[in-house]
Amino acid sequence: MNLPISLTINGVRRDIALDDPRVTLLDLLRERLDLTGTKKGCDRGQCGACTILVDGRRINSCLALAVSHDGAEITTIEGVAYGEEPHPVQAAFIAHDGFQCGFCTPGQIMSGIGLIQEGQAGDDPERVRECMSGNLCRCGAYAGITEAMLEAQANMTAANRRRSA
Amino acid sequence: MMNFDYVRPANVADAIAAASEQGSTYLASGTNLLDLMKGGISRPSRLVDVTRLPGLDRVEHLSDGALRIGALVRNADLAHDAEFARVYPAVAEALLSGASAQLRNAATVGGNLMQRTRCAYFYDVASACNRRWPGAGCDALKGENRLHAVLGWSEGCIATHPSDFCVPLVALDAVVEIEGRSGRRELPLEVLHRLPGDTPDRETALEPGDLIVALRLPAAAKDFAAHARYIKVRERTSYAFAVASAAAALRIENGTIGEARLALGGVAAKPWRACEAEQVLAGKSPDASLYREAARAALADARPSGNNAFKIELAQRIVVRALTLAAAGTPARISALPGSPFSSVAGA
């Protein structure tokens, strides 16, 4: 079965000839496009390690068939920094020790970027924890993750205000 | 995962034709179906991708006061629609109490209704399960069954339907619009999901090829906006199925309950409407002893299906809490922990 699809991944258009409809976005990224920043944890939508943005929304890439997302715009952890300068969420995770082993971190950061765009948590740590509950961290870095998210949200809001002033 | 053919029809008629063939099934976002396929539990030979079907992703206000929600509207978009959350607060709270933000961003309204009734033995292909393999038996009956059904179960199956969304919907008399081989028809959500009986593998009233195209909330569902909550007890604070849950919606006039709606989740193979409890509440003054009487009525037919007698008491307490919070008034904003009884509460 030949299934041609086209995706825009981190701003670059990619034409892909899928030979199998079973390929998930996660496996496409990792196994076929060498974008291994997105992690495979449970592969069943329970851990959030595979979180990416599809058309600006955070989803579990392990539960998304690539063929069904023909034409989508995809952002992965490889696409969020501004050159050598980290994304504000990445910087805040470093500043607040939002990780230990690092395996869940790309998913946490993509989920955090998605959450800030959704605008549902604001400066409320309880809402941050609730809205990040789809990302598990076996090292238990949740306290640092919450602090990082609050700082990133504040920094990005201030930067937007400066830009629009 | 077993291999399959993939088709993406351009319109509803082509989708129905493709999905009517043996072994075919519809694919929306796939958050439940792909998980089941990875586990070898669902083994369709063809997926009919409905995600691009035109016109199914809209929310429309109908002239009779009803709200029509297209089957492809995403759970997160519906829950975060401020006007929707204001008019149907228990539905929005239920949506936000379910799954994770990532799953809610992907999952569709129609897909939520069509997620499987399931338990750990259904997922474990080495276990006997009548729902997965008719006639195989049910290992849950003598297994780890503290989270299983206490209402409407049979010896054939004791699994529960995990949807939060469906619980307030069934309380609000939601209607499902279906396109099928013999045209368009509609069903009350109440009868979409079947109790297991002797055929737990037959989960819904749908026929081969039937496609849910929309969900409709009738005009009367708006009457409960001021007093409606969804309360859900989980084994962890977030991102877990309900051990038991309740949607309570009240129309309170001059200090009296004019009309009550009540449904329970996590207790049966379908979202469980508690009509007897609604009758207990109607016409009375809201108070704690009345809520306890209603809770007893809601669980009057309950019996343990295993090591889960505690759920009968727990469900009654959740009903009391949901009614108490609903009577206190819908909060201006959904709490930081949607559905959680541990959120800071007014009036509880």
Side-chain angles (χ1 to χ4, degrees):
Chain A
M1 196 178 224
N2 184 28
L3 304 157
I5 64 167
S6 144
L7 298 169
T8 302
I9 301 173
N10 299 327
V12 179
R13 189 187 148 118
R14 309 283 293 254
D15 294 311
I16 299 149
L18 285 176
D19 54 3
D20 190 325
R22 291 175 289 186
V23 177
T24 59
L25 283 176
L26 173 61
D27 288 339
L28 178 71
L29 291 167
R30 289 185 55 83
E31 308 294 335
R32 304 184 183 218
L33 301 177
D34 203 26
L35 289 166
T36 54
T38 305
K39 300 305 181 208
K40 183 184 276 197
C42 68
D43 202 31
R44 301 289 285 270
Q46 298 176 9
C47 76
C50 67
T51 302
I52 60 171
L53 303 185
V54 173
D55 297 326
R57 300 158 67 97
R58 50 177 168 157
I59 67 162
N60 301 111
S61 61
C62 72
L63 291 183
L65 289 183
V67 66
S68 183
H69 287 81
D70 183 17
E73 196 164 302
I74 286 167
T75 308
T76 70
I77 190 68
E78 289 91 346
V80 299
Y82 314 108
E84 291 300 304
E85 188 191 341
H87 185 280
V89 175
Q90 290 177 305
F93 267 67
I94 293 167
H96 290 275
D97 277 340
F99 49 86
Q100 183 177 311
C101 82
F103 189 84
C104 73
T105 310
Q108 298 277 2
I109 288 172
M110 296 313 296
S111 190
I113 292 171
L115 170 57
I116 289 171
Q117 287 174 3
E118 289 159 17
Q120 295 297 324
D123 58 1
D124 181 345
E126 191 85 299
R127 287 183 193 271
V128 168
R129 284 189 288 270
E130 165 64 28
C131 293
M132 293 290 288
S133 71
N135 293 83
L136 305 189
C137 170
R138 292 203 65 184
C139 303
Y142 296 111
I145 291 168
T146 303
E147 288 169 18
M149 284 302 302
L150 291 168
E151 181 181 282
Q153 167 92 42
N155 286 345
M156 290 175 73
T157 305
N160 281 341
R161 208 173 290 134
R162 277 198 301 276
R163 216 167 289 143
S164 58
Chain B
M1 192 189 300
M2 198 179 86
N3 207 351
F4 53 83
D5 286 331
Y6 171 87
V7 294
R8 192 197 295 153
N11 56 58
V12 169
D14 289 351
I16 292 166
S20 296
E21 290 177 30
Q22 181 111 26
S24 292
T25 197
Y26 289 118
L27 170 74
S29 88
T31 53
N32 184 216
L33 179 60
L34 294 176
D35 181 36
L36 294 171
M37 288 169 65
K38 285 184 178 193
I41 300 133
S42 294
R43 304 167 68 85
S45 53
R46 172 194 273 174
L47 291 189
V48 180
D49 185 345
V50 297
T51 54
R52 313 287 174 106
L53 291 180
L56 303 188
D57 59 353
R58 291 197 295 259
V59 178
E60 300 165 80
H61 298 270
L62 304 183
S63 57
D64 67 352
L67 188 75
R68 187 172 186 273
I69 306 161
L72 292 176
V73 173
R74 307 283 169 168
N75 287 2
D77 292 338
L78 189 61
H80 290 146
D81 176 329
E83 178 63 10
F84 179 83
R86 189 184 66 76
V87 181
Y88 312 99
V91 183
E93 184 165 26
L95 277 169
L96 292 176
S97 78
S100 67
Q102 288 96 319
L103 290 169
R104 294 192 296 269
N105 274 342
T108 64
V109 161
N112 188 300
L113 269 50
M114 290 305 293
Q115 68 180 302
R116 301 293 303 270
T117 292
R118 54 202 194 266
C119 81
Y121 296 92
F122 173 76
Y123 266 102
D124 174 23
V125 292
S127 294
C129 173
N130 290 317
R131 192 173 287 279
R132 178 164 29 77
W133 193 322
C138 171
D139 278 351
L141 281 172
K142 290 192 171 17
E144 287 287 332
N145 49 25
R146 59 185 293 277
L147 298 178
H148 287 71
V150 294
L151 284 162
W153 55 272
S154 71
E155 294 290 322
C157 180
I158 60 173
T160 59
H161 192 260
S163 171
D164 296 297
F165 181 45
C166 287
V167 179
L169 288 177
V170 80
L172 294 172
D173 284 336
V175 172
V176 181
E177 297 182 12
I178 298 156
E179 292 271 8
R181 284 179 292 180
S182 45
R184 179 175 283 247
R185 70 185 200 282
E186 52 186 59
L187 283 178
L189 178 62
E190 168 98 58
V191 300
L192 176 71
H193 302 102
R194 298 173 73 255
L195 290 176
D198 296 330
T199 52
D201 55 304
R202 285 210 58 209
E203 246 161 63
T204 71
L206 299 185
E207 301 294 331
D210 277 353
L211 178 68
I212 294 175
V213 293
L215 180 72
R216 211 169 63 236
L217 281 166
K222 294 176 179 173
D223 296 346
F224 304 93
H227 296 279
R229 291 299 301 270
Y230 180 72
I231 297 298
K232 170 184 183 186
V233 166
R234 291 159 268 195
E235 292 201 307
R236 59 183 180 190
T237 305
S238 179
Y239 197 12
F241 291 139
V243 178
S245 68
L250 303 172
R251 183 161 56 74
I252 298 181
E253 290 155 349
N254 306 318
T256 299
I257 298 172
E259 188 180 1
R261 301 288 183 86
L262 186 70
L264 286 83
V267 294
K270 57 184 282 186
W272 192 268
R273 179 85 178 260
C275 294
E276 295 80 6
E278 294 175 0
Q279 294 309 313
V280 167
L281 294 158
K284 312 269 177 52
S285 301
D287 73 51
S289 64
L290 179 68
Y291 304 152
R292 284 195 290 274
E293 189 187 341
R296 278 193 297 276
L299 277 297
D301 295 333
R303 60 197 171 99
S305 59
N307 187 25
N308 59 357
F310 78 97
K311 284 183 71 164
I312 299 171
E313 174 64 28
L314 178 66
Q316 292 182 62
R317 294 184 189 193
I318 293 168
V319 165
V320 170
R321 180 68 69 91
L323 288 167
T324 305
L325 292 172
T330 304
R333 186 181 179 197
I334 291 173
S335 79
L337 303 176
S340 173
F342 304 111
S343 281
S344 54
V345 288

